[in-house]
Amino acid sequence: MTQTISINNSQKLLIEPLSMPSRLLLGPGPSNAHPAVLQAINTPPVGHLDPAFFAVMDEIQSLLRYVWQTENSLTIAMSGTGTSAMEATIANVTEPGDVVLVGVIGYFGNRLVDMAGRYGADVRTITKSWGQVFSLDELRTALETHRPAILALVHAETSTGARQPLEGVGELCREFGCLLLVDTVTSLGGVPIFLDEWGVDLAYSCSQKGLSCPPGASPFTMSSRAWEKLQKRRTKVANFYLDMTLLSKYWGSDRIYHHTAPINMYYALREALRLLAEEGIENSWQRHQQNVEYLWQQLEDLGLTLHVEKEYRLPTLTTVRIPDGIDGKAIARQLLLEYGIEIGGGLGDLAGKVWRIGLMGFNSRKENVDRLVAALRQVLPK
Amino acid sequence: MTQTISINNSQKLLIEPLSMPSRLLLGPGPSNAHPAVLQAINTPPVGHLDPAFFAVMDEIQSLLRYVWQTENSLTIAMSGTGTSAMEATIANVTEPGDVVLVGVIGYFGNRLVDMAGRYGADVRTITKSWGQVFSLDELRTALETHRPAILALVHAETSTGARQPLEGVGELCREFGCLLLVDTVTSLGGVPIFLDEWGVDLAYSCSQKGLSCPPGASPFTMSSRAWEKLQKRRTKVANFYLDMTLLSKYWGSDRIYHHTAPINMYYALREALRLLAEEGIENSWQRHQQNVEYLWQQLEDLGLTLHVEKEYRLPTLTTVRIPDGIDGKAIARQLLLEYGIEIGGGLGDLAGKVWRIGLMGFNSRKENVDRLVAALRQVLPK
């Protein structure tokens, strides 16, 4: 080895091993991981083409189908966080010129608009004020007007805490010959979802909310209708990392290498899904609903106002209006630094107007509500 | 909660907690993670906007600059495996119609060709047979012929085990007014790299090889010259997840949310980089070189032939010709299942012709060579 260049040590840090503060994560995500999931994540990795790893992948696929209530063959975990799975839905079925109709009821609807545009879609939008949801009639009118190839909706709008009902939307989409794409980032695991019953063709989620896993491996699923549109493309998917034709050959029986999977993240995700199956998905949904109703009552007892109408509130994420004259950021900072509790602030139209409180996955427990409410009692002006 | 649809339990698996076999990973990657890195990865996550997490991100940035020997401000970890960081380099600086010249000396050169095409580049290639590398004269002639906007080379071709010398290439690229993009997936941490001295404008790597970390967070860096090309784009980057203008606002002082980072992967990467700084990057390079020379000697003593000319062999990855009449796949399978040792087979032009043996990061140790050679002695025909 010849080496004539001298080493630059200006960026060399000599630091101590990691030491992180303890936080109760009650914001919009990430949520705390289940202790058993953290135990699984530090299993020494095997290779991404090891038969023992293929077995883990198969288990993940089955369990993802279960928690999403779908029989979609192509149901996998993407090797990135939720935004990568979101982009995977758009990238695979959007061809330049396709009309993509996005229902925008918050920040993540706008993100879908941005993404679809990057893939050359003719993007149309329908909007509601942040915190509201669309009716079936409104969606029908929009489909009549725009005749899209894809209708994209956000089931659980993380920026507003609103739950978009999806019953009947799949039938509408079949009537108008379009695919139904749904964001379930803040609903999977904590909010009733019946992808097949609802006729959803593409969905994505994340690991760090209702699944009680750290972020870094993200659920993706597509129906046979969506797969057909992918197979009929005239152009390659404009994204290599997220190309589902290639990925299906790694997750399917061919086992053809595409990229090195994030092995330990999949270990964690498998354990998270295993725990959810052990609990029973319907029991998890019920637990989230019970604990959030307790939270709502406690917050209202504190004199606070909830932003979303009760019927459409998410059991996983609650938006609370910041009372007049209160510095919302300062309160959140105080909760974090003095009480070790993270809650979120508002995004976009709701910036400065709401706090976002998550009770998701492992964190949806009564004692966490009590701990938060006790802290709020201390930090809010009397 | 009204719920009238019955639960489909057909995909519900009731399985045991994870139990994986123990493997010594001596293939082309992943490599075994350092035990201290596996300890860091199961630290309970904090939020991606927590000040304590921003400190971790800052440390990662500095330490990545150190191991790459660069002062590039935009030096970060991508939230995906190496292929996502590879795609990030292409996606951010390629505009439709740009001439991208790729030096193809193996599988990953072809992957760059595929990716650049997806982003609308006018892709040109120069090729060598798998196992060889380009001379400066050959690169000069190619630059004269193609006048590209970007020259893309693979420093460490994981499919062949060849090391492409880069001394003088950056100067050539400045002479011809193009950017230099380099794949360092199998070199970072284990092979001398001097990005700034060599005038490299864009580079990417992975976490699971020379850095001794599990896969899932991937180093990316770009020079101010590359940043200028990005800022002059006429079109948005055709990829949201990898958009460096947005990512720079999260990794920089603005701290604007872009996507939820894979928190625990960053914990692991920080520890991996910390250990490398503690060892000293030059000592790590030397350790890799010493151990691989010991491996080469042992393999030749077994009567095996190494595929790449000694001068251009990677210290991290060695390709060994499969002797005539031997079923390479069967040998690799026997090593895995009977000895718990993973080695790799050939890819593309070298499929069925070579084994690939990695000694990377934590795994570059004499005792691992001894264990592998002892096993090979058993399984190879006398």
Side-chain angles (χ1 to χ4, degrees), chain A residues 89-381:
Chain A
T89 60
I90 294 284
N92 281 279
V93 295
T94 306
E95 283 196 279
D98 277 350
V99 174
V100 176
L101 174 63
V102 183
V104 178
I105 53 173
Y107 186 91
F108 292 93
N110 281 331
R111 175 161 293 192
L112 282 164
V113 169
D114 181 339
M115 277 185 187
R118 289 176 195 246
Y119 288 87
D122 173 358
V123 187
R124 319 285 176 87
T125 58
I126 43 172
T127 57
K128 282 253 167 165
S129 72
W130 289 32
Q132 298 197 318
V133 297
F134 298 105
S135 69
L136 262 187
D137 281 349
E138 288 166 335
L139 293 174
R140 170 179 287 280
T141 303
L143 289 172
E144 277 169 354
T145 306
H146 298 287
R147 303 279 163 174
I150 302 159
L151 170 65
L153 295 175
V154 178
H155 182 223
E157 188 34 271
T158 315
S159 64
T160 70
R163 179 185 57 78
Q164 170 67 53
L166 292 169
E167 291 83 355
V169 182
E171 282 159 42
L172 260 187
C173 286
R174 274 152 191 78
E175 187 183 331
F176 286 89
C178 73
L179 297 177
L180 176 58
L181 187 163
V182 172
D183 177 323
T184 68
V185 167
T186 299
S187 50
L188 187 64
V191 185
I193 303 185
F194 297 93
L195 281 197
D196 286 358
E197 283 286 336
W198 293 345
V200 176
D201 294 298
L202 291 140
Y204 57 89
S205 192
C206 71
S207 52
Q208 72 273 12
K209 301 187 182 188
L211 303 186
S212 315
C213 177
S218 300
F220 169 97
T221 188
M222 77 194 294
S223 70
S224 54
R225 294 174 80 224
W227 178 254
E228 273 167 37
K229 184 166 186 339
L230 169 59
Q231 296 311 307
K232 283 185 193 151
R233 290 183 70 100
R234 295 171 302 271
T235 55
K236 266 191 189 178
V237 171
N239 189 313
F240 180 89
Y241 193 58
L242 306 176
D243 183 323
M244 214 44 67
T245 303
L246 300 177
L247 283 164
S248 69
K249 291 177 184 157
Y250 176 52
W251 285 84
S253 55
D254 296 344
R255 301 298 184 188
I256 295 172
Y257 161 67
H258 175 255
H259 69 267
T260 303
I263 312 289
N264 293 60
M265 283 309 312
Y266 287 4
Y267 290 171
L269 182 60
R270 177 204 183 269
E271 178 63 14
L273 291 167
R274 188 190 77 76
L275 291 166
L276 208 42
E278 195 174 77
E279 178 177 13
I281 188 70
E282 64 276 39
N283 298 324
S284 175
W285 295 340
Q286 199 172 21
R287 172 169 57 83
H288 281 77
Q289 188 65 30
Q290 280 170 352
N291 289 320
V292 86
E293 287 183 9
Y294 178 67
L295 171 72
W296 295 342
Q297 187 58 56
Q298 295 288 307
L299 292 172
E300 287 177 335
D301 288 352
L302 281 175
L304 296 167
T305 305
L306 307 185
H307 179 66
V308 176
E309 200 184 325
K310 189 163 185 183
E311 185 180 355
Y312 301 113
R313 271 182 219 152
L314 284 170
T316 42
L317 185 73
T318 300
T319 38
V320 187
R321 295 211 183 116
I322 299 170
D324 285 344
I326 287 191
D327 180 344
K329 270 195 181 170
I331 295 284
R333 201 173 165 80
Q334 196 180 353
L335 284 176
L336 184 74
L337 300 181
E338 293 177 21
Y339 296 83
I341 302 173
E342 179 177 272
I343 66 170
L347 275 179
D349 286 6
L350 294 178
K353 296 181 185 162
V354 298
W355 290 301
R356 292 183 293 158
I357 299 176
L359 285 179
M360 304 192 284
F362 176 63
N363 276 0
S364 172
R365 280 175 291 143
K366 183 169 178 294
E367 63 259 38
N368 289 337
V369 176
D370 290 336
R371 185 171 154 198
L372 171 67
V373 171
L376 280 173
R377 239 180 253 286
Q378 300 283 329
V379 299
L380 287 175

Side-chain angles (χ1 to χ4, degrees), chain B residues 35-71:
Chain B
V37 171
L38 288 178
Q39 195 174 326
I41 202 175
N42 80 343
T43 307
V46 302
H48 56 289
L49 298 173
D50 194 306
F53 188 64
F54 293 150
V56 170
M57 294 167 68
D58 287 346
E59 288 165 343
I60 287 174
Q61 289 197 274
S62 256
L63 288 167
L64 281 178
R65 290 185 197 111
Y66 168 63
V67 295
W68 250 331
Q69 291 287 292
T70 179
E71 295 285 342

Side-chain angles (χ1 to χ4, degrees), chain B residues 301-317:
Chain B
D301 288 352
L302 281 175
L304 296 167
T305 306
L306 307 185
H307 179 67
V308 177
E309 199 184 327
K310 189 163 184 183
E311 185 180 356
Y312 302 114
R313 273 182 220 153
L314 284 171
T316 42
L317 185 73

